[in-house]
């Protein structure tokens, strides 16, 4: 799964993903984000009616639009292999795909010393901004209530860097697939091939502080290697 990630240089996301942003995103860029966690409002890139990419926000944890009451299960991840089969994701996979900007993510492995799970940090060797493949939904809690946008990150089988640590990894989309992924007129059957493990030779991983295990923690040391 992917349960935490980083966006340390949010100020360069607009140029990296060629997207327009509003005042809310300006506020988001005022500090780096080393521990983005579920239930938070996170940046997502979508295409508006004019066909332009926009940077918006959605709550991390998907709630399908047809849900009547607040569900107990709000998936933060969706398995690439079953998107077309599960009712919770099928409609969003067809019409509401998004990019979720990041520059690193965390996965956990059991600590052989018995000290709980050890977090590892994964990123590109050149530390560039990238985009997870995401899905989004617009849910209305009730009559007269404001709609809520929610999202989830798609996962796939791990590449050679992630596999020693975890049996899943987030889908990192190739830049050349961004337009196709975001295009609502492109059927889901034509974007399935985008949902593959990213080449391992461009990535690296290292152990980091267990402070990242707590969602409220922040600071550059969370993504700093430890011995």
């Amino acid at each position: 799964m992917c349960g935490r990630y980083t966006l340390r240089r949010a100020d360069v996301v607009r140029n990296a993903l060629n997207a327009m942003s509003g005042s809310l995103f300006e506020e988001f860029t005022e500090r780096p984000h080393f521990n983005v966690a579920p239930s938070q409002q996170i940046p997502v890139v979508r295409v508006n009616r004019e066909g332009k990419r926009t940077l918006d926000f959605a709550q991390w944890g998907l709630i399908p639009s047809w849900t009547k009451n607040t569900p107990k299960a709000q998936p933060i991840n969706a398995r690439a292999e079953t998107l077309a089969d599960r009712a919770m994701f099928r409609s969003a996979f067809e019409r509401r795909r998004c990019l979720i900007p990041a520059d690193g993510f965390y996965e956990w492995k059991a600590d052989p010393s018995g000290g709980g799970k050890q977090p590892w940090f994964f990123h590109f060797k050149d530390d560039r901004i990238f985009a997870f493949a995401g899905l989004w939904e617009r849910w209305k809690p009730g009559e007269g209530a404001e709609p809520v946008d929610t999202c989830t990150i798609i996962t796939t089988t791990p590449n050679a860097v992630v596999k020693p640590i975890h049996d899943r990894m987030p889908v990192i989309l190739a830049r050349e697939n961004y337009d196709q992924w975001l295009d609502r007129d492109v059927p889901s059957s034509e974007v399935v091939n985008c949902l593959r493990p990213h080449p391992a030779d461009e990535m690296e991983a290292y152990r980091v502080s267990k402070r990242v295990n707590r969602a409220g923690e922040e600071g550059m040391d969370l993504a700093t290697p430890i011995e």
Side-chain angles (χ1 to χ4, degrees), residues 6 8 103-108 120-124 130 159 161-163 165-166 203-206:
T6 62
R8 297 161 290 166
D103 52 26
F105 63 94
Y106 301 97
E107 294 291 0
W108 283 259
W120 287 70
F121 182 64
F122 298 83
H123 69 142
F124 283 92
F130 56 83
N159 63 21
V161 174
V162 179
K163 190 174 183 178
I165 310 302
H166 203 273
M203 299 178 65
E204 64 181 5
Y206 51 77

Side-chain angles (χ1 to χ4, degrees), residues 8-195:
R8 297 161 290 166
R9 292 164 296 123
D11 57 319
V12 304
V13 167
R14 285 168 297 193
N15 289 335
L17 299 184
N18 190 28
M20 303 182 297
S21 64
S23 58
L24 286 178
F25 188 75
E26 297 297 329
E27 295 177 15
F28 184 84
T29 64
E30 290 178 358
R31 65 178 178 86
H33 299 267
F34 292 89
N35 197 10
V36 182
S39 80
Q40 293 179 358
Q41 292 288 322
I42 65 173
V44 296
V45 175
R46 302 181 286 201
V47 171
N48 63 17
R49 293 179 179 178
E50 289 73 44
K52 296 181 179 179
R53 296 181 192 174
T54 61
L55 266 164
D56 304 300
F57 282 87
Q59 179 179 299
W60 187 9
L62 195 78
I63 303 177
S65 59
W66 41 261
T67 302
K68 293 183 178 180
N69 301 311
T70 304
K72 292 182 179 180
Q74 299 176 20
I76 62 170
N77 292 155
R79 295 175 67 93
E81 300 89 336
T82 58
L83 292 176
D85 301 324
R86 295 194 59 187
M88 179 168 282
F89 306 121
R90 190 184 303 125
S91 178
F93 185 35
E94 194 64 47
R95 297 283 296 171
R96 289 178 293 279
R97 301 184 292 261
C98 64
L99 307 177
I100 299 177
D103 52 26
F105 63 94
Y106 301 97
E107 294 291 0
W108 283 259
K109 184 179 183 180
D111 190 335
S113 67
K117 290 189 175 182
Q118 172 63 53
W120 287 70
F121 182 64
F122 298 83
H123 69 142
F124 283 92
K125 293 176 181 177
D126 62 5
D127 219 21
R128 68 181 181 267
I129 295 284
F130 56 83
F132 297 131
L135 305 176
W136 70 276
E137 284 275 14
R138 180 161 292 159
W139 175 63
K140 196 170 183 179
E143 190 67 31
E146 289 294 319
V148 177
D149 285 358
T150 65
C151 65
T152 189
I153 294 174
I154 300 172
T155 66
T156 185
T157 52
N159 63 21
V161 174
V162 179
K163 190 174 183 178
I165 310 302
H166 203 273
D167 61 357
R168 303 291 294 177
M169 71 175 289
V171 173
I172 299 173
L173 288 170
R175 188 173 296 273
E176 60 267 24
N177 292 331
Y178 288 177
D179 285 340
Q180 183 185 32
W181 179 255
L182 291 172
D183 192 338
R184 287 170 289 186
D185 292 327
V186 175
S188 58
S189 59
E190 293 185 16
V191 297
V192 170
N193 289 338
C194 299
L195 305 178

